[in-house]
Amino acid sequence: MHLRARTVRLAVAALVAGLALTGCSAPEPQNGGGEGEQTLRLALSAAPTDLSIGNGITGDPTIYLAVYDRIVHRHGDQLEPGIAESWEYNADRTQLTLNIREGLKFSSGNALDAAAVAANIEAVRTIPATTQLVSAVSGVEAPDPSTVVVTLSRPDASILPNLAEALGAVGDPEVLGEDSSKLAPIGSGPYILNTEKSKTGSLYVLDRNEDYWDVESFDFEHVEIQAIPDPAAVQNALLAGQIDYGNVGADVVSQFKDNPKFHVGDTTGGFPILALIDRTGSIVPALGDVRVRQAINHAINRDEIVEKLLFGQGTPTNQMFNPQYGAFDEGLLEKGEYDLDAAKKLMADAGYADGFELTMPSNFLTAYYEPTLTQSLGDLGITVTWEPVQFTDLYPKVFGGSYGAFFIYGAGYPFPAQDANASLTGIFNPFGYTTPELDALVAAANAADESEQDAAFKKVNAYLVDQAWFAPLNVGKSSFVTTAEVEFDPTVGYGFLSAFSVSN
């Protein structure tokens, strides 16, 4: 589960957000473009700062995934053809062959062939935000225009499903690494960014790519996206008919449920996680003792958090794996049960009966949970200091060793290999900590046949819970609202415009 460095992606998903009603002009609540054309109006919580290849795994991916097509597609936990019409592994799963769809072109008119796909995979191997996600890739070749061969130094079951996400986006090789692609990306996706009508930082206009190979899956000829940092405004924007979709809190969703102008539905929300990343105790010595990390898990009353903070809209969990899929283990939940007496004994056994001091970064994501976490850890004598940090500075400070623990949102993936990879790399394991036992479990799971992967990754899950690498809190449930003219399918996946259709 996680926002792969993508970590943030889930948090942002939980905050998808509001259209400001002042300070900028909102689209008129009617169809745009030519006669009979449909316009979908959305709001994001933050404007994208870099749409170049490799930068779509952080922040909201909606525009990125609209402009770029991906090597593989997915619907829920099913992988489907994308730029690659088919694929196959060799016997030991160290070579992945991608069979590229013929006749594809970028919006620039340049051909999208195997060489272009290979160039993009090579590019993400060198980009800081993505390099760990493809660390198993040792080589990429395009022996002919319709074939890409990806060689792996070791089996990695997360590679293929990751190619169905932002990691698998393919841009025109002519502008790979060019500054121009940050705000004027060139892809082959279902939409083209209209740079003339868009206003960087506030309004993004997408026009449907009529040459896209699967254009019939996209009902809307145009998409207008406002980027506004005020989540609360989404409620008013929906009520005013200024946007067609938005996430709303459990405390306000009742305003929409009985209103015939809207559809209301639920989807999995963010996974709030207290990441206990200093597993060697080099920054906070106490965290190097597994008993302290286990004590922290027992000191958190997850049931009460769901009831009082989430108004019942969520499920307690102590696991980093998505509870909707096979690596999640109901039997492990007892290891995260609230038991303050057991937690205090563990602290005493570890030599920290009087607690210790812990500094963690504070930002807009942590504010809601700070009082609860301060109280829960305080019950163990742990004195928490919340240090204000701009979210843009969070990653550098975490990777730089400023904190032994921090709070963030993650996102559960439909494939356990992705959850495992996200838990063991990037922001969730910034110091690259591992053990021989864990390495063996991960290697066995990655090498397993698809039919055996759930059971194999369940062992990885058990190890992470036993060693208390993390203290996940819950799996949130997010309510979304659409106007009556728009339907949204949450099983498609967050950020994909194919999830939206014209209501019949």
Side-chain angles (χ1 to χ4, degrees), residues 383-471:
T383 302
V384 178
T385 298
W386 293 96
E387 179 179 86
V389 174
Q390 291 294 321
F391 190 77
T392 52
D393 296 328
L394 176 63
Y395 277 56
K397 290 182 75 68
V398 169
F399 279 98
S402 296
Y403 308 106
F406 69 100
F407 176 89
I408 198 167
Y409 284 82
Y413 289 98
F415 299 90
Q418 289 178 291
D419 278 332
N421 195 34
S423 300
L424 303 176
T425 63
I427 195 73
F428 288 105
N429 193 18
F431 314 129
Y433 178 71
T434 189
T435 66
E437 181 182 356
L438 178 59
D439 286 343
L441 291 172
V442 172
N446 277 318
D449 183 79
E450 280 90 344
S451 63
E452 300 172 348
Q453 283 183 8
D454 282 352
F457 279 108
K458 187 174 286 188
K459 295 179 181 179
V460 177
N461 183 17
Y463 181 91
L464 296 179
V465 171
D466 287 340
Q467 294 298 308
W469 274 34
F470 307 93

Side-chain angles (χ1 to χ4, degrees), residues 102-115:
E102 296 182 356
L104 299 181
K105 292 184 180 295
F106 294 104
S107 58
S108 62
N110 292 332
L112 195 173
D113 55 12

Side-chain angles (χ1 to χ4, degrees), residues 307-321:
E307 178 185 353
K308 294 185 177 180
L309 294 188
L310 302 184
F311 303 95
Q313 298 296 301
T315 303
T317 189
N318 62 335
Q319 299 169 49
M320 296 291 281
F321 285 76

